[in-house]
């Protein structure tokens, strides 16, 4: 009787055990959070190096299929990469040469129509129901001019900052092109090299995980390019039929914006509606808005689920949060890279879940065997 009483745990011992386990979890959480903070700090410090590499990897997912095809035809690796890069550069230069004259021709007309639109807005503000007087409008304009004059130093420093950013962007693009060339040329050697350097037992996991991430990124970029192309073609045709200025440029912006899911389509569509409003009036702008909404419904309900069902398995809320976080942290480039990075993280988490499930099943089998042996 005494032994049964002493074997029952006291409330204090239960509280202590719970506190001990909670403390262990808290310490582990703090350690993981500190490690993530150090990793984020290291990425921020090395961002000038990491960014060209990431952009090069994304470019390689698009350019690798033609490079592989040329290498399969017997062309040397360096020559195959050079041909593909030259063709890609020619396509980009051709698109710019096709659109630039239209932009230069219609930008003056658009500026004149914008000035006329400002006059119309001013007349509307002076009429009913607002009835804002000319003196009030002039004082508002004067206040804006005074504010701009007082901020001239900040504006000038912003211009120099913009020049520095443009120079940094050129350096980043050049570095990304060089890295892309060597990744396409020597990429097939990377996985064998990784297996030799890492060694077992981590090498198979690293190789499999990188292969899955590569396949996911490639599928996402190619699928998003196809979806963006369909959106740009449909919206561009509609803008041309409606006589909206800069239709070709707006179609290209729509194509580029398609690589930033949700947010990119919203910004590109809003810009098209704004141009239509300034150039052709509110009725034309409403028609453009209806066209963009129809195309986006086609994209969201047909193209995206059909084409991206196998390339990327991410919920729309995850995509939106990733784009918001990327844009707020790293700006435009962060918004562009947010979804590929989120997709890569999702692939890593799924692979980790698979390995946990395998170990769980592997541990369950010996336990079942021990139970069977005990019964015998």
């Amino acid at each position: 009787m005494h032994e049964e009483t002493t074997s029952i745990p006291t409330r204090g011992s239960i509280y202590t055990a719970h506190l001990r386990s909670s403390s262990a979890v808290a310490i582990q959480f703090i350690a993981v959070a500190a490690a993530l903070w150090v990793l984020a700090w290291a990425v921020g410090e090395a961002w000038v190096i990491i960014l060209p590499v990431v952009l090069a990897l994304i470019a390689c997912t698009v350019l690798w299929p033609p490079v592989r095809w040329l290498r399969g035809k017997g062309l040397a690796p360096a020559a195959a990469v050079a041909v593909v890069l030259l063709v890609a550069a020619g396509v980009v230069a051709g698109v710019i040469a096709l659109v630039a004259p239209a932009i230069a021709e219609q930008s003056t007309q658009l500026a004149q129509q914008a000035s006329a639109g400002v006059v119309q807005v001013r007349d509307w503000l002076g009429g009913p129901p607002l009835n804002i007087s000319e003196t009030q409008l002039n004082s508002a304009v004067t206040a804006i001019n005074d504010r701009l004059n007082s901020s001239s130093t900040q504006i000038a420093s912003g211009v120099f900052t913009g020049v520095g950013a443009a120079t940094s962007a050129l350096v980043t693009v050049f570095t990304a092109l060089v890295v892309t060339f060597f990744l396409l040329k020597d990429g097939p050697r990377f996985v064998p090299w990784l297996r030799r350097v890492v060694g077992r037992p981590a090498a198979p996991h690293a190789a499999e995980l990188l292969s899955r991430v590569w396949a996911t990124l490639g599928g996402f970029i190619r699928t998003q390019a196809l979806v963006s192309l369909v959106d740009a073609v449909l919206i561009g045709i509609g803008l041309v039929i409606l006589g909206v200025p800069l239709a070709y440029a707006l179609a290209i912006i729509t194509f580029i914006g398609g690589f930033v899911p949700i947010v990119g389509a919203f910004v590109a569509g809003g810009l098209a509606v704004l141009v239509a409003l300034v150039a052709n009036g509110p009725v034309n702008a409403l028609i453009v808005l209806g066209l963009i909404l129809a195309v986006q419904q086609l994209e969201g309900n047909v193209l995206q689920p059909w084409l991206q069902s196998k390339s990327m398995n991410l919920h729309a809320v995850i995509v939106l949060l990733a784009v918001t976080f990327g844009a707020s942290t790293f700006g435009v480039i962060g918004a562009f890279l947010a979804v590929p990075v989120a997709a890569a993280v999702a692939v890593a988490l799924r692979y980790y879940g698979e390995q946990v499930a395998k170990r769980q099943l592997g541990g369950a089998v010996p336990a079942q065997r021990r139970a069977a042996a005990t019964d015998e």
Side-chain angles (χ1 to χ4, degrees):
M1 183 67 178
H2 179 70
E3 294 179 356
E4 293 179 356
T5 304
T6 57
S7 63
I8 298 176
T10 62
R11 297 176 69 88
S13 63
I14 295 176
Y15 293 153
T16 303
H18 290 173
L19 181 62
R20 187 183 301 111
S21 60
S22 300
S23 302
V25 172
I27 293 174
Q28 293 171 356
F29 177 79
I30 293 174
V32 172
L36 291 177
W37 184 86
V38 172
L39 178 62
W41 175 82
V43 170
E45 292 295 321
W47 184 244
V48 67
I49 299 174
I50 295 175
L51 178 58
V53 175
V54 173
L55 294 177
L57 287 173
I58 294 177
C60 287
T61 60
V62 180
L63 300 178
W64 172 244
V67 170
R68 181 176 54 191
W69 182 79
L70 290 176
R71 294 178 64 167
K73 296 297 181 179
L75 200 62
V81 175
V83 169
V84 172
L85 288 178
L86 288 176
V87 171
V91 170
V92 174
V95 171
I96 294 176
L98 180 64
V99 176
I103 295 177
E105 179 182 354
Q106 296 178 354
S107 58
T108 304
Q109 177 185 359
L110 191 62
Q112 295 174 354
Q113 291 170 338
S115 300
V118 171
V119 174
Q120 292 178 359
V121 171
R122 187 167 183 169
D123 295 338
W124 176 75
L125 291 174
L130 298 178
N131 296 320
I132 299 176
S133 64
E134 187 76 16
T135 304
Q136 292 174 329
L137 291 175
N138 290 333
S139 62
V141 173
T142 302
I144 295 174
N145 289 331
D146 293 341
R147 177 62 179 173
L148 291 176
N149 291 330
S150 63
S151 303
S152 58
T153 304
Q154 298 178 358
I155 294 174
S157 63
V159 170
F160 287 111
T161 303
V163 172
T167 304
S168 177
L170 290 176
V171 173
T172 300
V173 170
F174 177 77
T175 306
L177 287 176
V178 175
V179 175
T180 301
F181 175 84
F182 285 105
L183 286 179
L184 291 173
K185 175 178 173 291
D186 302 325
R189 305 177 185 175
F190 178 73
V191 173
W193 172 83
L194 182 67
R195 289 180 178 274
R196 292 193 303 269
V197 172
V198 175
R200 300 185 69 86
H205 298 292
E208 177 65 20
L209 182 58
L210 289 177
S211 299
R212 294 190 183 188
V213 170
W214 174 263
T216 300
L217 289 180
F220 166 71
I221 295 298
R222 288 189 291 269
T223 301
Q224 198 65 35
L226 180 59
V227 173
S228 301
L229 180 62
V230 173
D231 289 351
V233 169
L234 294 178
I235 293 177
I237 292 174
L239 295 179
V240 170
I241 294 175
L242 294 172
V244 178
L246 305 177
Y248 297 111
L250 291 172
I252 293 176
I253 293 174
T254 301
F255 175 78
I256 297 174
F259 287 92
V260 183
I262 302 175
V263 177
F266 175 78
V267 173
L271 182 60
V273 172
L274 180 61
V275 172
L277 177 63
V278 172
N280 299 341
V283 176
N284 191 272
L286 289 176
I287 297 175
V288 172
L289 178 61
L291 169 67
I292 292 174
L293 290 177
V295 172
Q296 290 182 355
Q297 288 298 316
L298 174 65
E299 171 193 342
N301 297 324
V302 179
L303 294 178
Q304 292 280 9
W306 178 43
L307 294 175
Q308 288 192 349
S309 59
K310 296 182 180 180
S311 62
M312 186 181 65
N313 186 17
L314 288 179
H315 195 274
V317 174
I318 301 299
V319 173
L320 180 60
L321 293 178
V323 172
T324 303
F325 177 77
S328 61
T329 306
F330 296 104
V332 177
I333 193 65
F336 171 71
L337 296 177
V339 178
V341 171
V345 172
V347 169
L349 291 177
R350 293 190 195 103
Y351 183 77
Y352 173 73
E354 291 177 7
Q355 299 307 310
V356 171
K358 288 182 179 179
R359 293 193 62 177
Q360 184 180 8
L361 293 176
V365 173
Q368 294 175 357
R369 291 178 179 175
R370 287 195 300 268
T374 303
D375 294 338
E376 292 178 355

